[in-house]
Amino acid sequence: MTDVRIEVAKALETLPAWRADDGDRPAIGRSLRFADFNAAFGFMTRVALMADKMDHHPEWSNVYDRVEVLLTTHDADGVTDKDVTLARFIDRAAAETGAIS
Ligand SMILES: C[C@H](O)[C@H](O)[C@H]1CNC2=NC(N)=NC(=O)C2=N1
């Protein structure tokens, strides 16, 4: 089934740590910082395993203790429930990996 686009503002209502980030297509973004590279990469590993399980992959980058994450659904050209689900998982993983912000 094709994913259905949802309004970014609607998605953000339940995701206080996230912001609207409109580049090529509507997206939601979060900046994270950890104690060090080890913690940041540990977080990314947890998210990577879940993303592959969901077949839904973040656009992200890492510089030492910082991770920038962008979630959008390419197939739907915008934000869908899959992004919200992955964002919730990311928030949990961030808390459990000791994200500083
Ligand atoms: C073929 C494969 O199912 C698709 O390319 C998947 C893979 N991961 C994906 N990730 C994201 N973020 N959006 C997609 O539309 C998407 N599609």
Side-chain angles (χ1 to χ4, degrees), residues 21-38:
D21 195 322
D22 297 336
D24 294 345
R25 58 173 69 83
I28 55 175
R30 180 172 176 187
S31 305
L32 299 120
R33 194 159 67 86
F34 295 87
D36 52 23
F37 177 76
N38 198 293

Side-chain angles (χ1 to χ4, degrees), residues 3 55-59 71-76 82-83:
D3 298 309
D55 193 27
H56 194 66
H57 302 87
E59 297 176 19
L71 299 179
T72 184
T73 303
H74 308 137
D75 295 345
K82 274 190 185 167
D83 298 302

Side-chain angles (χ1 to χ4, degrees):
M1 197 195 101
T2 312
D3 298 309
V4 179
R5 271 179 69 159
I6 57 175
E7 290 296 323
V8 169
K10 184 92 189 153
L12 292 177
E13 276 175 16
T14 61
L15 297 168
W18 294 74
R19 61 175 187 274
D21 195 322
D22 297 336
D24 294 345
R25 58 173 69 83
I28 55 175
R30 180 172 176 187
S31 305
L32 299 120
R33 194 159 67 86
F34 295 87
D36 52 23
F37 177 76
N38 198 293
F41 206 79
F43 160 80
M44 292 179 82
T45 302
R46 291 171 73 145
V47 173
L49 293 174
M50 174 55 76
D52 217 38
K53 209 178 282 181
M54 290 176 65
D55 193 27
H56 194 66
H57 302 87
E59 297 176 19
W60 57 2
S61 63
N62 160 242
V63 179
Y64 184 53
D65 60 350
R66 292 177 186 277
V67 181
E68 293 289 334
V69 186
L70 216 63
L71 299 179
T72 184
T73 303
H74 308 137
D75 295 345
D77 219 29
V79 172
T80 67
D81 280 338
K82 274 190 185 167
D83 298 302
V84 175
T85 300
L86 188 55
R88 291 220 176 89
F89 179 85
I90 285 172
D91 285 349
R92 257 199 320 278
E96 288 169 8
T97 322
I100 293 160
S101 57

